Amino acid sequence: MVSMTKFIVVAGGVMSGVGKGVTTASIARILMGYGYKVTAIKIDPYINYDAGTLRPTEHGEVWVTDDGGEIDQDLGTYERFLDVDIPKKNNITTGQVYGTIIEKERKGKYLGQTVQFIPHVPDEIKRRLKEASKNHDIAIIEIGGTIGDYENIPFLFAMKSMEREMGKDNVTYVLITYLPIPSHIEEMKTKPTQQAIRLLGETGIIPDFIICRAKRALDKVRKQKIETYANIPSTHVISEPDIETVYSIPLDLEKEKLGLKILEELKLKPKKALNLDEWKRLVSRIENPKKSVKIAIVGKYVDIGDYNLTDSYVSINQSLLHAGAALNVGVDIHWVDAKSFENSKEKINELKDYDGIVVPGGFGASGVEGKIKAINFSRMRNKPYLGLCYGLQLAIIEYARNACKMETANTTENGKTKFPVIDILPTQKELMEKSDYGGTMRLGAYAAVLKEKSKVWELYKETGRLKEDMEKLEKLKKDKNQAFRLGILGKNKNIVLERHRHRYEVNPEFVSELEKKGLVFSGYHLREDNTKLMEYIELPKHKFFVGTQAHPEFKSRLGNPSPLFYGFVKACGK
Ligand code: GLN
């Protein structure tokens, strides 16, 4: 008999941005540690179909899944905590739910019925939840937004209906709230939490657990207040004060035995003893590293009102942190505006104060010349350089211009040029003409064949990632809809998988010229139509000069760092 997946529903009260995602991921991490097969699902109540067209400065960076989904960042948090690949079906939006219903109605699938909010909307939500949680013991569902928002009502309604269908023993509710301490009174206030409990109650849901986020830990008086108000045992009111690193949250929640309490609520017993020792060791390294390196991320920054959102590079931040934890090196990350190098000649020299330079992904011409200057600086001064996606493309442009005498080399993304070293390949142009805008990107995981003995190859081998990815290939081969991601592999044994999100590629016409002048292409993807797409570059004589067309920052986890970030941070520390 296939046993039923049990659900944990996480909703947020009071306000957004209190760390619902990391708490959800932490709970999932703990339950996984008790031997359960756990997955996490994010519900985004907005009407967008996915996060592909959202402004990154407003919503944070777009997360890319193996199967090519462009998703909200929370899915990234889950992967970073759980060290599993989470597919795009684990993100459900209002747009998807209505999209399916309307499509079915047009196809006459409802046979003369009136299609209505109830039951059709909750039914479609439940169908998607069941589909995403298939083959797991426990699915933890994070409902985006805040209790009281109009747009999350259908989802809460669906959860209540799920509870009725499955029985209360199979569904547990967690409310995460925030307790402000207004500076003029310096007292922690429980009122907004009381109101959140009441608002949640209007949907028929009574939380089984309340997690209290605040600057400080909850005291007895306030805990009691919440306990009485919500009518739940005080052991189910959990304090979650601000911490230095989000990775200590599973450890803090475990001190309160939250995992065991949730299992008990779901009528489950631990399948094995929880061992977070390795996790603890990594967290203590993040908190107290032996030494530290200073890294400049040279990117494009946009201010939103009076605030500068660095969240648009969150995965890169995390990847550097994971690499640092593995190496026992602290990473001191600085955001450097690429445009600042364009107006002043001297400014670029400020980069000498950094141990390494990262150029992240990006689109369009803004800041490009500044980034190219920074890349030239790293190359000439033997400073560790890591180029991610646009960071590889711009490194190629820099090399073409300054080492291969193609002074006007550029990407056709920024206009016409005599040396289009980065271009849209003809077969891709066809694709673009045929399909809509979204369909023109290379999205999701693609296989790359690595050049044996190259620096990139060494790093994938050293970190165990090569072995791990070779195993994943087998699974991918069997998946009809995803197998195209492998391309032509032959009998090659040096294959890795990284995620992509870009339109342009290295122009094959210039590859041999660049190679002649010393640039090494250390990996490629061979498409089924025999087009060779360049995936990695490196400079063998440089301390560390590596670029990748992929976004390896989407495959970095605490305890399983991304090979290129690992190599980069290591080189920075030398
Ligand atoms: N703008 C480049 C492209 O579309 C790079 C994209 C990126 O860095 N994600 O190919």
Side-chain angles (χ1 to χ4, degrees), residues 47-115:
I47 298 176
N48 302 59
Y49 197 85
D50 60 29
T53 55
L54 292 177
R55 194 181 306 132
T57 43
E58 201 172 301
H59 277 269
E61 159 203 85
V62 173
W63 177 259
V64 180
T65 61
D66 270 345
D67 55 351
E70 295 176 279
I71 314 274
D72 179 276
Q73 191 51 234
D74 286 306
L75 240 57
T77 307
Y78 308 157
E79 289 199 21
R80 286 191 279 269
F81 275 71
L82 301 178
D83 193 7
V84 293
D85 303 319
I86 297 184
K88 65 178 168 196
K89 66 179 178 192
N90 285 38
N91 179 238
I92 302 172
T93 71
T94 298
Q96 293 168 16
V97 171
Y98 276 91
T100 308
I101 294 172
I102 292 168
E103 197 186 319
K104 274 167 86 178
E105 189 274 335
R106 289 293 81 190
K107 284 187 180 152
K109 294 269 163 73
Y110 292 110
L111 294 168
Q113 291 173 44
T114 310
V115 182

Side-chain angles (χ1 to χ4, degrees), residues 338-373:
K339 276 181 265 175
S340 70
F341 300 137
E342 291 174 1
N343 309 322
S344 134
K345 264 208 149 96
E346 293 78 51
K347 187 96 186 149
I348 196 79
N349 293 316
E350 287 176 16
L351 284 179
K352 72 176 184 316
D353 298 337
Y354 296 92
D355 299 304
I357 292 158
V358 177
V359 171
F363 293 85
S366 157
V368 152
E369 291 306 319
K371 290 180 190 172
I372 292 177
K373 272 193 179 176

Side-chain angles (χ1 to χ4, degrees), residues 189 192 199 219 281 349 354 392 414 465 483:
K189 299 307 258 176
L199 273 171
D219 62 359
R281 194 175 68 98
N349 293 316
Y354 296 92
L392 166 135
N414 301 328
R465 192 57 78 82

